[in-house]
Amino acid sequence: MLDIRDLTKSFGKGDSTVTALHEVSFTIAEGEFFTLLGPSGCGKTTLLRLIAGFEPPSGGALVLDGQDIAQMPPNRRPVNTVFQNYALFPHMTVAQNVGFALGAQGRPKDEIARTVARMLDLVQLGHLAHRKSGELSGGQQQRVALARALAPKPRILLLDEPLSALDMKLRKEMQVELKRLQQETGLTFIFVTHDQEEALTMSDRIAVMSGGRIQQIATPRELYDQPANRFVAGFIGESNFLDASCAHGKLVLPQAGAPLPVTHPDGPVTLMVRPEHVFLGPAPGAGLSVPARVERLVYFGTDTHVHLMLADGAGLVARVQNALRGGAPCAEGDAISITLPADALRLLPKEAA
Amino acid sequence: MARRSFDIRRLPGAATLAITCFVILYIPLVILVVNSLNAGKAINVWEGISLRWYATALQNEGFLNAASTSLILAATAALVATVTATMAALATTRSKGFRGEGTINLVLNQPLMVPEIVLAIALLIILAQVKQVTGYTGLWYLIIAHSAFCIPFAYMPVRARLQGMDLTLETAASDLYASRFYTFRKVTLPLLAPAVLAGFMLAFVVSLDDVVISEFLKSPGQDTLPTYLLGQLRRNLTSEIYAISSLLLLISVLIVAGSWLLTRKKT
Ligand SMILES: Nc1ncnc2c1ncn2[C@@H]1O[C@H](COP(=O)(O)OP(=O)(O)OP(=O)(O)O)[C@@H](O)[C@H]1O
Ligand SMILES: [Mg+2]
């Protein structure tokens, strides 16, 4: 439905040019909950502003339903935004805020009144219709902003870190609420966040961004299980990285005993394994067996983090679930043998450090 | 120990100086108002409180004419100045830097920098010619001149408000299908209204108060309140003049207070 091709955005001229987006391309399907995830300054807001039309792109195409909208002014695009600071009109009531877009479109009064009432019901704010928007709590303002953007029935709703100003508890509630709204309305959402947990729990697909480039686009599960590169693996969840190499169909980890057969082109690789997959002791099935020393145990309630050191000084963290009785299966200072199960190993392209 | 930052209140003599200034500023005003309430005819003999001189003033044809001229002049000039200043402020804050922006600021604020008497003489030279050619001797000369020097007073609050306004509000309006004009009408202008009104009131008071330009440019027989008072002073200082001055003072104070209330930040 929305097709983004080689979208580029640079700010400034000459020597002081900042390129915030480098040839970003992806396609979003109808009804999808699509999330842009990345660290601060990676270009999420810039991408959203280009889609909304607040900023012209420096290059590339934005095709919505077969029509290139890259040059269309924002008030013509069937795309609405929920702003991070809500941007509610302070001189208007809640109802006037929600009805603003319909008024601007010149819809009849009774239709506006009906839509506003329906929208306020949808976000459970019917009782506050005649309050001034400045007299609302943060969570309520958030709902008004949402209702205001939904009222004109956009093709796509853009949300720029809409929950970041809320406290933890309200945030969790709004996550559930947003997801419910999206499923009820069947609307396409493009959601920006730098909170990986928020992204993983809410999204159909996630685009991980860094430095103005898309690093990987995948479902939350794929992103966690099959990260495309070291950045994604490090950004989503926790990971251990080890230097290894592939030669003649075998994976060689210098610290490990026997190599493991793999199908991977020859050359140096970065070996990634999640802490919860590291097995303390010998394990059934194929895997790399590595001698290690237990450096430190850190108790986390549900589980314990075991900090390990390999023969060459490389560090590794294992996470073991705390059983009802008995602690970790080892003590600080122990020399043990760990197993990195073959099906938990991911080979990532080696990058210059 | 942390070094105390500079505090003007602890400067020796600062308080005394400030109090002296206030006394010099306000005592004459108090004396003026008290005198205007004197029942007696002689200005230096107190004979009790009365509104007698106010009544006399309000029956004085010359005063009433001058007052109505002043009010019409101030209202029209303030209106013209406010509209111009608002448009100028929109141009200098809402469009991306354009050529000559600095010049525009300079031109708009010129009346604050050029001595008024110089401006008055310059205008007189031109307008005297125009009067001769056209034969028109009405109020419009004064209206145009007053509009011009009132612009900076209307411009300042409007520009300050525009600069402090959250730009995402206008972005949000454009996102919600509003055209530029609809955004201006429904978002920018309502949020700007208090500043525009404050600018209007300031301009109104400045025009109401002006002597120099009015005195130079008025046609024979024409009088604004200040030039009327000046004319009366040349003859005789009467309690009626005190009453008229007090009225002028009252109007100015009310309007300035109103404008202050409008621009005051809500906290
Ligand atoms: N108007 C602008 N002029 C110049 N540079 C800009 C402008 N807007 C954004 N940038 C730059 O573009 C880059 C991306 O900014 P952007 O606001 O899109 O980041 P973000 O991913 O939204 O970050 P955050 O999570 O902090 O909101 C940054 O380096 C920023 O400095
Ligand atoms: Mg941002």
Side-chain angles (χ1 to χ4, degrees):
Chain A
M1 170 179 81
L2 178 69
D3 205 357
I4 293 176
R5 291 181 209 142
D6 297 331
L7 205 61
T8 298
K9 178 69 189 176
S10 306
F11 293 104
K13 286 198 187 86
D15 292 343
S16 59
T17 303
V18 179
T19 304
L21 288 178
H22 297 268
E23 303 189 335
V24 167
S25 299
F26 57 88
T27 301
I28 296 174
E30 180 99 48
E32 196 171 14
F33 196 119
F34 190 88
T35 297
L36 300 174
L37 175 67
S40 187
C42 70
K44 306 180 295 287
T45 298
T46 305
L47 181 51
L48 222 55
R49 288 175 63 82
L50 289 184
I51 299 173
F54 305 144
E55 235 35 275
S58 311
L62 261 173
V63 182
L64 178 63
D65 297 326
Q67 189 190 2
D68 189 347
I69 58 167
Q71 304 304 327
M72 203 184 261
N75 58 339
R76 298 265 178 72
R77 297 189 190 194
V79 167
N80 291 149
T81 307
V82 176
F83 293 86
Q84 183 167 1
N85 65 353
Y86 316 135
L88 298 180
F89 304 123
H91 57 296
M92 297 184 191
T93 63
V94 166
Q96 286 168 334
N97 264 286
V98 175
F100 183 87
L102 301 171
Q105 287 175 325
R107 303 274 183 80
K109 281 224 163 57
D110 55 327
E111 185 197 327
I112 297 180
R114 261 182 287 122
T115 311
V116 168
R118 201 154 37 79
M119 284 302 141
L120 287 178
D121 278 348
L122 193 65
V123 296
Q124 296 151 12
L125 280 183
H127 57 296
L128 296 179
H130 301 294
R131 283 268 190 96
K132 276 273 162 64
S133 59
E135 300 162 358
L136 302 175
S137 73
Q140 289 167 340
Q141 290 186 27
Q142 170 68 73
R143 286 159 198 264
V144 176
L146 205 58
R148 183 179 73 173
L150 286 171
K153 292 206 181 75
R155 292 284 287 138
I156 304 179
L157 191 70
L158 308 176
L159 305 103
D160 192 354
E161 307 204 25
L163 308 181
S164 63
L166 306 179
D167 65 45
M168 202 56 188
K169 185 168 169 293
L170 203 53
R171 204 175 161 139
K172 294 269 188 260
E173 279 174 31
M174 282 305 291
Q175 286 178 5
V176 175
E177 173 110 11
L178 261 183
K179 188 72 191 164
R180 171 185 71 85
L181 258 173
Q182 192 258 339
Q183 280 164 344
E184 265 174 32
T185 55
L187 204 65
T188 311
F189 275 36
I190 303 183
F191 183 88
V192 165
T193 181
H194 57 238
D195 179 338
Q196 51 152 314
E197 189 187 315
E198 198 166 281
L200 289 175
T201 55
M202 298 175 77
S203 322
D204 293 324
R205 277 196 306 156
I206 300 172
V208 180
M209 295 179 67
S210 156
R213 291 190 168 80
I214 301 251
Q215 300 295 326
Q216 185 174 11
I217 301 182
T219 63
R221 179 171 288 271
E222 274 172 359
L223 221 47
Y224 191 79
D225 286 346
Q226 306 287 343
N229 56 37
R230 189 167 172 156
F231 176 84
V232 176
F235 195 74
I236 310 265
E238 284 161 55
S239 301
N240 294 301
F241 299 105
L242 294 169
D243 288 328
S245 61
C246 286
H248 314 299
K250 287 217 182 335
L251 173 68
V252 183
L253 182 68
Q255 303 92 331
L260 202 65
V262 286
T263 47
H264 193 274
D266 288 359
V269 293
T270 296
L271 181 66
M272 178 214 128
V273 60
R274 300 279 183 195
E276 66 269 28
H277 295 148
V278 176
F279 205 87
L280 302 183
L288 288 168
S289 180
V290 189
R293 202 160 62 84
V294 179
E295 289 280 296
R296 212 150 57 82
L297 297 177
V298 184
Y299 180 72
F300 271 88
T302 54
D303 46 29
T304 298
H305 291 197
V306 182
H307 291 255
L308 301 158
M309 194 159 86
L310 307 188
D312 64 344
L316 196 80
V317 178
R319 200 148 83 191
V320 288
Q321 290 242 315
N322 290 325
L324 189 54
R325 273 171 288 274
C330 55
E332 289 182 7
D334 284 0
I336 57 172
S337 168
I338 59 169
T339 308
L340 310 179
D343 54 1
L345 298 179
R346 299 288 173 262
L347 302 184
L348 306 176
K350 188 166 172 72
E351 291 159 32
Chain B
M1 252 186 79
R3 249 182 49 178
R4 295 248 178 84
S5 60
F6 175 73
D7 185 350
I8 190 131
R9 279 171 303 182
R10 280 208 307 276
L11 217 61
T16 324
L17 186 65
I19 290 171
T20 314
C21 287
F22 278 119
V23 168
I24 291 174
L25 269 175
Y26 286 100
I27 289 291
L29 290 178
V30 173
I31 294 174
L32 173 92
V33 174
V34 169
N35 266 315
S36 75
L37 295 169
N38 189 355
K41 208 167 170 61
I43 48 171
N44 42 9
V45 186
W46 181 254
E47 291 181 26
I49 288 189
S50 130
L51 289 176
R52 167 181 170 195
W53 297 112
Y54 288 86
T56 314
L58 291 176
Q59 280 157 13
N60 177 346
E61 193 90 353
F63 161 69
L64 290 178
N65 276 338
S68 85
T69 305
S70 259
L71 292 179
I72 292 170
L73 172 61
T76 321
L79 187 69
V80 174
T82 310
V83 171
T84 315
T86 303
M87 293 194 299
L90 281 168
T92 52
T93 54
R94 281 299 180 271
S95 41
K96 290 199 178 131
F98 54 91
R99 264 172 56 126
E101 200 184 323
T103 322
I104 286 188
N105 260 320
L106 201 69
V107 169
L108 283 170
N109 291 318
Q110 171 264 1
L112 295 180
M113 294 170 276
V114 175
E116 205 182 344
I117 186 87
V118 175
L119 190 62
I121 292 170
L123 281 169
L124 180 66
I125 296 168
I126 297 181
L127 294 187
Q129 302 280 326
V130 177
K131 263 185 210 177
Q132 242 178 14
V133 174
T134 59
Y136 173 73
T137 55
L139 198 56
W140 276 100
Y141 299 113
L142 284 177
I143 291 178
I144 293 169
H146 277 226
S147 303
F149 75 73
C150 284
I151 285 176
F153 298 94
Y155 180 71
M156 285 183 299
V158 176
R159 185 180 157 90
R161 178 84 175 198
L162 273 172
Q163 280 175 331
M165 210 187 275
D166 181 3
L167 276 180
T168 48
L169 292 180
E170 287 166 31
T171 309
S174 76
D175 186 56
L176 296 164
Y177 310 104
S179 62
R180 277 177 156 229
F181 181 63
Y182 194 85
T183 304
F184 178 72
R185 214 157 48 88
K186 295 284 184 174
V187 178
T188 317
L189 196 55
L191 291 173
L192 202 57
V196 171
L197 203 54
F200 177 86
M201 287 174 160
L202 277 182
F204 188 92
V205 171
V206 169
S207 161
L208 196 65
D209 185 46
D210 178 76
V211 190
V212 179
I213 289 191
S214 302
E215 183 68 25
F216 272 67
L217 298 188
K218 69 185 178 114
S219 304
Q222 217 172 35
D223 258 319
T224 66
L225 215 39
T227 62
Y228 172 78
L229 280 175
L230 201 62
Q232 295 299 305
L233 275 179
R234 289 198 186 112
R235 282 177 226 155
N236 219 336
L237 200 59
T238 65
S239 295
E240 192 186 340
I241 290 182
Y242 287 142
I244 294 173
S245 306
S246 300
L247 282 175
L248 198 54
L249 178 68
L250 182 70
I251 296 173
S252 297
V253 166
L254 285 181
I255 293 178
V256 171
S259 122
W260 178 77
L261 283 175
L262 283 170
T263 43
R264 188 178 54 153
K265 286 247 164 66
K266 277 185 211 158
T267 42

